[in-house]
Amino acid sequence: MQIDGNTILISGGSSGLGNACAVRLLQNGAKVILIDIAPPPETMLAATGENCIYIRADVTSELDVKQAIENGVERFGPLSAAVICAGVLHSERAMGRDGPASLDAFRRVIEINLTGTFNVLRLCADAISKKTVPMPSSERGVIVMTSSIAAFDGQIGQSAYSASKGAVAAMTLPLARDLGRLGIRVVSIAPGVFETPMMEVAPEKVRQSLLDETAFPKRFGTPDEFASTVQHVIENAMFNGCTLRLDAGLRMPAK
Ligand SMILES: NC(=O)c1ccc[n+]([C@@H]2O[C@H](COP(=O)([O-])OP(=O)(O)OC[C@H]3O[C@@H](n4cnc5c(N)ncnc54)[C@H](O)[C@@H]3O)[C@@H](O)[C@H]2O)c1
């Protein structure tokens, strides 16, 4: 799918990986509907001008996301793609020193990372399916979801996070099969460790042990390296129904 001139929604677009996608897709001529519970840096909106709109929306809310899509489409025209990045990290052992893990915390992670992802996907798929004129290739659009390598090698304390990201990876193929008849592709990216506000809070010991298990290059990814993968997935129609590891060969140890 061509990026230039098309409308793309990005959830979690105010920070980290989602924000890097917004910047890169705008540079490539997209019109961006940025949804997040927190606003993006003011400098970013000032620099992007008229091709980017921020709409406050919680990905777990049907009403918020529906209204954001409606407002964005009214401003920029039919939706062609979505990049779903909104997510939260959580670490807690199933049995801690003070007893069993919090059920509320587990539910919250599933609610934002999994249910929120599905909510954005289904409403964006509905909007993309309304495009009356598909591209010459019969493609209407593409939806990129964000999983994690924790879907496959979750560490101690990551049961909730891994469950949410594993489910994103697992639903990628059935979603691609559901939406294929509408000319919509669905792809997930499973990042290793990327330098974003989410990872900055990790203690130095944890960061070093992750670097030790990285094959090459022995560094964390930059948000733009994630964004460039998203760009390629959007542009290359052969990506569909799969989850791509983007991790410099990192296989996470137990802790
Ligand atoms: N950074 C990494 O190393 C890494 C690795 C693997 C997967 N991921 C995944 O990538 C995605 C982006 O992570 P990041 O590192 O950029 O984190 P980040 O914390 O920098 O950005 C996440 C954004 O999501 C938003 N958000 C959180 N809950 C929301 C909600 N309910 N509704 C709307 N927006 C909400 C936050 O406000 C924030 O702007 C997440 O899904 C994360 O799990 C990140």
Side-chain angles (χ1 to χ4, degrees), residues 3-225:
I3 289 170
D4 190 21
N6 276 316
T7 305
I8 302 178
L9 179 141
I10 302 176
S11 81
S14 291
S15 173
L17 303 184
N19 193 256
C21 290
V23 170
R24 182 174 265 268
L25 295 174
L26 282 162
Q27 281 165 353
N28 282 273
K31 292 165 182 157
V32 169
I33 307 166
L34 198 151
I35 68 168
D36 201 302
I37 44 169
E42 271 175 30
T43 45
M44 181 212 166
L45 279 186
T48 53
E50 295 193 336
N51 288 330
C52 182
I53 179 177
Y54 163 67
I55 300 170
R56 194 201 174 279
D58 185 327
V59 291
T60 64
S61 157
E62 174 162 29
L63 188 66
D64 278 10
V65 177
K66 233 181 192 167
Q67 284 180 347
I69 295 171
E70 276 168 20
N71 292 346
V73 165
E74 202 176 294
R75 167 106 169 244
F76 294 138
L79 191 68
S80 292
V83 184
I84 302 174
C85 288
V88 289
L89 190 62
H90 178 71
S91 186
E92 185 177 12
R93 291 182 190 234
M95 261 306 296
R97 286 197 186 93
D98 301 327
S102 153
L103 192 56
D104 283 348
F106 188 93
R107 286 198 173 116
R108 179 175 164 268
V109 174
I110 298 293
E111 179 71 3
I112 296 172
N113 293 1
L114 175 58
T115 313
T117 293
F118 185 72
N119 187 36
V120 175
L121 174 131
R122 75 193 178 98
L123 295 171
C124 286
D126 182 47
I128 297 169
S129 74
K130 291 190 176 126
K131 268 171 70 175
T132 45
V133 187
M135 288 155 237
S137 57
S138 308
E139 186 176 9
R140 275 203 173 73
V142 49
I143 299 173
V144 185
M145 304 189 292
T146 310
S147 175
S148 163
I149 59 168
F152 313 107
D153 26 90
Q155 298 188 287
I156 284 172
Q158 287 192 325
S159 55
Y161 186 71
S162 291
S164 68
K165 296 298 184 177
V168 169
M171 71 181 178
T172 307
L173 180 60
L175 288 171
R177 288 174 166 163
D178 281 358
L179 301 179
R181 70 182 172 82
L182 299 167
I184 302 171
R185 295 181 289 120
V186 182
V187 176
S188 288
I189 299 173
V193 186
F194 282 70
E195 291 284 8
T196 69
M198 184 181 272
M199 274 315 294
E200 275 160 16
V201 293
E204 191 49 41
K205 214 173 122 190
V206 172
R207 292 167 64 93
Q208 192 52 53
S209 95
L210 291 168
L211 284 177
D212 290 344
E213 297 303 323
T214 302
F216 182 82
K218 279 199 178 287
R219 63 169 174 81
F220 298 150
T222 66
D224 187 57
E225 286 170 323

